Amino acid sequence: MVKLTLPDGAVREVEHGTTLLDVVKQMSNSLAKKALAASLDGKTVDLMTPAEKDAAFEVLTFADAGGRLALRHTCSHIMAQAVKRLYKDCSVQLAIGPAIENGFYYDFDMERQLTDADLRDIEKEMKKIVKENLKLERREIPRSEAIAYFKEKGENYKVELIEDLPEDVTISTYTQGEFTDLCAGPHVVSTGKVKALKLQSVAGAYWRGSEKNKMLQRIYGTAFEKQEELDAYLHMLEEAAKRDHRKLGRELDLFSLHEEGPGFPFFHPNGMIVRNELLNYWREVHRRYGYQEISTPVILSRRLWETSGHWFHYRENMYTTTIDDEDYAIKPMNCPGGMLVYKSQLHSYRDLPLRLAELGLVHRHELSGALHGLFRVRNFTQDDAHLFVTPDQIEGEIQHTIDLFDEVYRTFGLSYKAELSTRPEDSMGSDEMWELATNGLQKALENRGLDYIVNEGDGAFYGPKIDFHLRDSIGRTWQCGTIQLDMSLPEKFDLTYVGEDGEKHRPVMLHRVVYGSIERFIGILIENFAGAFPVWMAPVQVRILPITERHADYAEQLRRGMFDRGIRVEVDDRNEKTGYKIRESQVKKTPYTLVVGDQEQEGHTVAVRKYGEKDSTVMPAADFIALVQKKIAERAQAY
């Protein structure tokens, strides 16, 4: 008998060789219908895998990453089978076809240049294969047999893959109907498990990612458990395309990117308003939470980066220079500078916790192919803080930091979840310190009642961490905030404080960022709000439209009154139709558009149209100004 231990600790005994699918059926028929794969001792496997030894066992559905991977991996095989069926006369050779985070792809070498019409045909054939409900059968074969088989089929890329595998690797194939592919798996039990699929695009891709190799055609697709889930995902992609921060950045004149500085963004006046409002808010919050702001140099000597370890472990991402025949580096991180500020004077336990915050400009060499708008750049401002605490202050300080994070994210209407990453195998520091640090992070999360998952062994080598994943208005998640406990840098820089006992002690340091990168956070906010920022962040908060020239003086009087009260306001007195100017104001996503004519001028009122609304509301000008001031003061999200 084989003992399978379930996640809740229960143990099921089954006969040796029983397939995992049969095990699941014994547990629950309804669960068996949802099951897509299984986990044995942490490894994702097919449900047709036999139970041959005692192991930890978990059933994987589409709700699990392993279940989604198995379903989408099967979809890539279905797509390859469909292409082989449809284009027999096009010398189709198969390359690779993995599952990826939100879907799958397959690379093809074929004479025919695929079009959108071809994708529709391929998708139609895929749905036929799904209806055929073909079983996927795994077979392990000798290396020589695998090479001979794929040579006979003319699959040169498969032969190359096999020949490059180590001699001791098990060669396996999966067969569904007439189609057989080289594959390690895992897969679902049959093609009929795929309920909702969509092919999305075709693009060029070099074989094995090298420009020296042949350009192949890569078809991207996605698959979900239910059609409504697929529809929701496709709708989200449509929304994301509309919200692309690069497109909106141009349309709203926020920032630009130029060939003269790839990866180095240029912020325009409108973008600087958004940026400065974020920084003003950041400073206000940090002042209330007891932080002191510092600033450290952009260029520092090699000796410093050797002490921190960056010169040896991060140099390929650093920009370096020579000054007075000595090596220097432009900082990729703010941490070492913060160490020197702490070390510049003696500290007592009474000084701790000491919270030093910095809006530091950092530079990192990113590959040109990885650059992406404001999301992946080569210079950015990191809203760092380095907190120096005694061991018994760890939990309280983490709780204090989470309070700050919660306030900031709620201000922007962003919900979040947390991930706790624990000690990796390659780490430094004592078991006692790691246990203290990890428990401090965990207790702080639990005391707040926060949803969190644990990533075992995924912490930094110098300490555990909490990552905060924000959820935006269309359901995407972004990793922004981080709290990291560091027991390495205080030791490397020999940081100390004098304790109550009069002896020197080593402080524990917390690294933390809220926005992460100002540039990236602005990109996230552009997409979250689709460019329609809350009034406190909007570059132009109010746009006044006089109907005719005789209303221009009243419009200017309103403008001066609002400007003097700190409101960002413009008058559009061009000789254009009012309807045209209203539409343009909406395109520019102005929170409030005021139309003023005879009635408004006589009554000292304004006709207010909020962004996104068709109707206007007439109200006294003084009341409108008070409303806008209140919205700004409260940093309200709604207009």
Side-chain angles (χ1 to χ4, degrees):
M1 299 295 284
V2 174
K3 293 181 179 179
L4 299 177
T5 304
L6 302 177
D8 63 0
V11 176
R12 296 191 71 89
E13 291 192 8
V14 299
E15 291 188 14
H16 183 276
T18 304
T19 67
L20 298 180
L21 179 60
D22 285 336
V23 175
V24 181
K25 286 178 178 177
Q26 293 171 18
M27 295 167 60
S28 164
N29 282 327
S30 60
L31 180 59
K33 291 178 181 178
K34 293 181 180 179
L36 298 173
S39 172
L40 283 182
D41 285 337
K43 180 183 178 182
T44 303
V45 297
D46 303 332
L47 286 171
M48 297 311 294
T49 302
E52 296 178 330
K53 63 177 183 178
D54 295 353
F57 171 62
E58 184 177 359
V59 181
L60 302 179
T61 67
F62 195 78
D64 305 294
R68 293 192 294 273
L69 180 145
L71 183 78
R72 289 166 174 166
H73 195 174
T74 300
C75 239
S76 75
H77 280 223
I78 293 172
M79 178 167 65
Q81 184 178 12
V83 170
K84 282 284 195 178
R85 282 186 180 183
L86 290 172
Y87 306 109
K88 294 177 182 178
D89 300 328
C90 295
S91 303
V92 178
Q93 286 193 62
L94 305 177
I96 58 171
I100 53 178
E101 183 178 2
N102 289 311
F104 58 90
Y105 69 79
Y106 214 115
D107 291 344
F108 301 95
D109 184 355
M110 57 192 297
E111 296 171 357
R112 184 186 184 94
Q113 189 65 41
L114 295 169
T115 65
D116 288 344
D118 291 317
L119 293 192
R120 290 192 289 272
D121 291 340
I122 295 167
E123 185 178 305
K124 186 176 179 180
E125 188 64 30
M126 288 176 70
K127 291 177 179 178
K128 288 182 182 178
I129 294 170
V130 168
K131 286 185 177 180
E132 291 172 21
N133 197 25
L134 304 173
K135 289 184 179 179
L136 279 90
E137 298 177 353
R138 176 185 170 93
R139 182 171 172 242
E140 295 182 2
I141 57 178
R143 184 189 194 88
S144 58
E145 183 182 333
I147 291 174
Y149 175 82
F150 286 105
K151 275 186 177 179
E152 181 186 349
K153 294 290 185 181
E155 298 288 359
N156 298 329
Y157 296 100
K158 302 296 182 182
V159 172
E160 182 180 328
L161 289 171
I162 298 168
E163 289 177 340
D164 287 350
L165 290 172
E167 293 286 342
D168 59 347
V169 169
T170 299
I171 306 297
S172 59
T173 62
Y174 280 80
T175 299
Q176 58 201 53
E178 81 286 358
F179 177 76
T180 298
D181 202 355
L182 173 73
C183 188
H187 287 281
V188 295
V189 295
S190 72
T191 61
K193 281 287 186 179
V194 178
K195 304 299 183 185
L197 64 92
K198 178 69 177 176
L199 297 189
Q200 297 166 286
S201 62
V202 61
Y206 290 108
W207 168 236
R208 293 190 155 181
S210 171
E211 294 179 5
K212 297 177 181 179
N213 294 331
K214 187 172 183 179
M215 176 72 78
L216 308 177
Q217 295 186 77
R218 174 174 294 177
I219 302 177
Y220 286 97
T222 190
F224 284 80
E225 186 177 33
K226 299 175 181 177
Q227 185 63 42
E228 53 264 37
E229 292 175 349
L230 173 60
D231 292 341
Y233 176 72
L234 296 176
H235 176 70
M236 184 272 287
L237 291 182
E238 290 175 9
E239 278 295 309
K242 295 177 190 174
R243 295 163 180 260
D244 189 312
H245 74 284
R246 296 166 298 179
K247 171 177 171 286
L248 289 172
R250 289 190 301 271
E251 293 174 357
L252 302 177
D253 198 22
L254 299 173
F255 69 92
S256 58
L257 295 160
H258 301 272
E259 292 181 0
E260 292 82 355
F264 300 96
F266 290 68
F267 278 89
H268 299 195
N270 284 347
M272 283 304 298
I273 290 172
V274 175
R275 183 186 181 96
N276 286 333
E277 288 294 343
L278 283 178
L279 299 186
N280 292 340
Y281 174 56
W282 184 91
R283 287 191 167 102
E284 176 197 308
V285 171
H286 283 74
R287 185 170 59 252
R288 284 193 279 106
Y289 276 78
Y291 286 76
Q292 301 174 67
E293 187 174 353
I294 64 171
S295 177
T296 61
V298 172
I299 300 178
L300 293 164
S301 77
R302 170 176 175 169
R303 293 191 305 277
L304 178 77
W305 302 110
E306 286 180 340
T307 300
S308 69
H310 291 92
W311 192 267
F312 306 110
H313 301 292
Y314 202 72
R315 190 178 173 186
E316 69 275 9
N317 296 104
M318 297 168 67
Y319 296 108
T320 60
T321 188
T322 302
I323 303 174
D324 296 334
D325 298 323
E326 291 190 16
D327 291 330
Y328 282 75
I330 301 175
K331 66 178 178 181
M333 298 175 185
N334 298 308
C335 322
M339 302 304 100
L340 296 186
V341 171
Y342 179 91
K343 200 172 181 179
S344 65
Q345 56 184 286
L346 294 174
H347 292 282
S348 159
Y349 69 94
R350 292 188 180 91
D351 301 327
L352 308 184
L354 179 64
R355 308 178 185 110
L356 301 179
E358 178 173 15
L359 292 164
L361 181 65
V362 299
H363 291 73
R364 298 178 187 176
H365 179 63
E366 300 283 357
L367 297 176
S368 59
L371 300 176
H372 179 72
L374 297 179
F375 290 161
R376 184 66 68 90
V377 293
R378 286 173 170 163
N379 80 302
F380 55 93
T381 300
Q382 200 164 35
D383 66 315
D384 262 325
H386 298 102
L387 288 61
F388 302 91
V389 303
T390 64
D392 62 347
Q393 290 173 337
I394 290 174
E395 183 183 342
E397 197 58 24
I398 294 166
Q399 186 70 54
H400 184 262
T401 303
I402 295 175
D403 286 340
L404 186 153
F405 282 23
D406 186 66
E407 177 176 336
V408 170
Y409 297 150
R410 279 191 293 106
T411 295
F412 298 103
L414 297 166
S415 59
Y416 61 88
K417 287 190 177 181
E419 290 186 2
L420 171 64
S421 298
T422 61
R423 186 176 190 174
E425 290 184 12
D426 181 19
S427 61
M428 65 174 296
S430 68
D431 292 344
E432 180 184 5
M433 186 57 76
W434 270 92
E435 184 177 358
L436 180 69
T438 305
N439 287 344
L441 291 173
Q442 194 159 11
K443 285 180 181 176
L445 289 169
E446 290 174 351
N447 286 342
R448 288 195 69 88
L450 274 182
D451 273 344
Y452 73 95
I453 63 172
V454 177
N455 292 328
E456 295 288 353
D458 199 39
F461 72 91
Y462 51 77
K465 63 175 181 172
I466 302 172
D467 290 326
F468 290 78
H469 295 262
L470 309 185
R471 186 179 181 88
D472 71 11
S473 58
I474 59 172
R476 296 171 298 179
T477 56
W478 309 86
Q479 197 275 307
C480 288
T482 298
I483 303 172
Q484 297 180 343
L485 277 170
D486 188 347
M487 297 161 282
S488 173
L489 283 184
E491 183 173 336
K492 286 182 175 182
F493 282 88
D494 193 27
L495 304 187
T496 61
Y497 67 91
V498 178
E500 289 186 78
D501 57 4
E503 300 294 324
K504 287 187 176 180
H505 299 270
R506 188 84 67 206
V508 176
M509 188 176 76
L510 281 74
H511 304 253
R512 45 111 295 195
V513 292
V514 187
Y515 294 151
S517 150
I518 302 301
E519 289 73 9
R520 183 169 180 267
F521 198 72
I522 288 173
I524 291 170
L525 292 181
I526 290 171
E527 298 202 359
N528 178 61
F529 294 119
F533 296 110
V535 65
W536 67 275
M537 291 177 61
V540 176
Q541 295 164 325
V542 179
R543 185 167 274 108
I544 306 172
L545 314 181
I547 293 176
T548 68
E549 189 176 340
R550 68 175 180 273
H551 307 118
D553 288 344
Y554 179 55
E556 178 59 22
Q557 177 188 334
L558 289 171
R559 188 199 69 79
R560 285 199 305 271
M562 294 182 202
F563 181 84
D564 291 344
R565 290 167 175 79
I567 297 171
R568 294 187 290 274
V569 55
E570 291 183 356
V571 173
D572 184 352
D573 56 2
R574 293 174 300 162
N575 187 24
E576 299 282 358
K577 291 182 178 179
T578 302
Y580 174 84
K581 292 194 284 187
I582 289 173
R583 286 192 298 274
E584 191 170 81
S585 186
Q586 291 283 301
V587 168
K588 292 180 178 179
K589 303 181 188 293
T590 310
Y592 298 104
T593 301
L594 308 185
V595 177
V596 293
D598 291 339
Q599 182 179 343
E600 288 78 23
Q601 185 168 298
E602 292 169 8
H604 296 286
T605 61
V606 289
V608 183
R609 178 179 291 204
K610 297 178 183 178
Y611 171 75
E613 296 185 1
K614 293 183 178 180
D615 297 326
S616 297
T617 301
V618 176
M619 61 192 302
D623 289 355
F624 171 74
I625 292 172
L627 169 70
V628 176
Q629 287 181 304
K630 184 172 184 289
K631 295 286 186 180
I632 293 171
E634 294 175 351
R635 291 192 171 91
Q637 292 171 43
Y639 299 144

